[in-house]
Amino acid sequence: MVSVSRFPPDPDRVEEIFARLARVMPEPKTELNFTNPFTLVSAVALSAQATDVGVNKATTALFAVADTPQKMAALGVEGLTPYIASIGLYRNKAKNLIAMSQILIERHGGEVPLNRADLQALPGVGRKTASVVLNELGIEPAIAVDTHVFRVSHRLGLANANTPDKVEAQLHQVVPEHWLPKAHHWLILHGRYTCVARRPKCEACVISDLCPARPDLMAARA
């Protein structure tokens, strides 16, 4: 991870970073498949330590038979497990998903509560999952800091903190307000396809000249 010596970063550089990302990705969105708030929160919870592609393969069949808390609860853990057995940590995720469905029925009238406190109180739903849901549904301009966002934020000098929660706070401090609603998706997608972990594709990066972690700039400083 690149050490960022200056924080906060230059506002003009930050503005240009997001302006360019907006030009190449004008309508970024989650790559998880969902049809309603329940399938969204379920898919995001299932995606922990798993790929979106793998989750989509599993949920295609699952959501065809259980796209509401009532239908999911009716499956039970044993009925749900075969649908998600290809996903990492599927046993715990099955228990959490059934428990979440039961709580939604008993306490929320079968609807997903679209506020952070109630979302994070659900089994298997932490701050990151809640942030993804609230951002995707346009309720809150949240930034969920996963491994991609953490890596890209440090490389671009947008953050220098050593925990996801602290990086999230720094991003909210430096990202211009008008870019916040989509910043989460831009950073994730940029990290997933361009600013990858082992061999970042700097030659194809639209913001490489703005990146303090670019290899030639790092060599020059050395």
Side-chain angles (χ1 to χ4, degrees), residues 6-153:
R6 181 172 180 262
F7 186 87
D10 175 60
D12 291 338
R13 184 172 68 87
V14 177
E15 173 67 27
E16 183 62 19
I17 285 172
F18 286 99
R20 293 188 194 181
L21 292 175
R23 285 198 291 271
V24 297
M25 294 182 282
E27 295 297 332
K29 59 183 180 180
T30 182
E31 295 185 316
L32 291 168
N33 295 333
F34 71 96
T35 58
N36 56 38
F38 175 70
T39 55
L40 175 59
V41 70
S42 298
V44 177
L46 289 171
S47 71
Q49 299 185 44
T51 66
D52 287 2
V53 172
V55 171
N56 287 339
K57 287 181 179 178
T59 57
T60 296
L62 173 60
F63 293 159
V65 299
D67 60 353
T68 68
Q70 293 83 352
K71 294 176 182 177
M72 190 71 73
L75 284 178
V77 173
E78 291 186 3
L80 169 59
T81 298
Y83 287 99
I84 63 172
S86 60
I87 300 174
L89 306 176
Y90 71 92
R91 295 186 189 279
N92 283 336
K93 290 177 180 179
K95 294 177 182 178
N96 285 334
L97 198 49
I98 295 303
M100 178 180 74
S101 299
Q102 292 169 336
I103 289 174
L104 291 177
I105 295 168
E106 295 168 3
R107 302 181 190 174
H108 300 285
E111 300 292 332
V112 175
L114 299 180
N115 66 82
R116 181 173 291 279
D118 286 336
L119 275 174
Q120 290 185 205
L122 296 172
V125 178
R127 180 173 182 82
K128 185 170 71 173
T129 295
S131 291
V132 173
V133 171
L134 294 171
N135 180 273
E136 186 65 30
L137 296 178
I139 295 166
E140 179 184 319
I143 300 179
V145 179
D146 66 355
T147 56
H148 297 302
V149 174
F150 192 88
R151 177 177 68 253
V152 172
S153 298

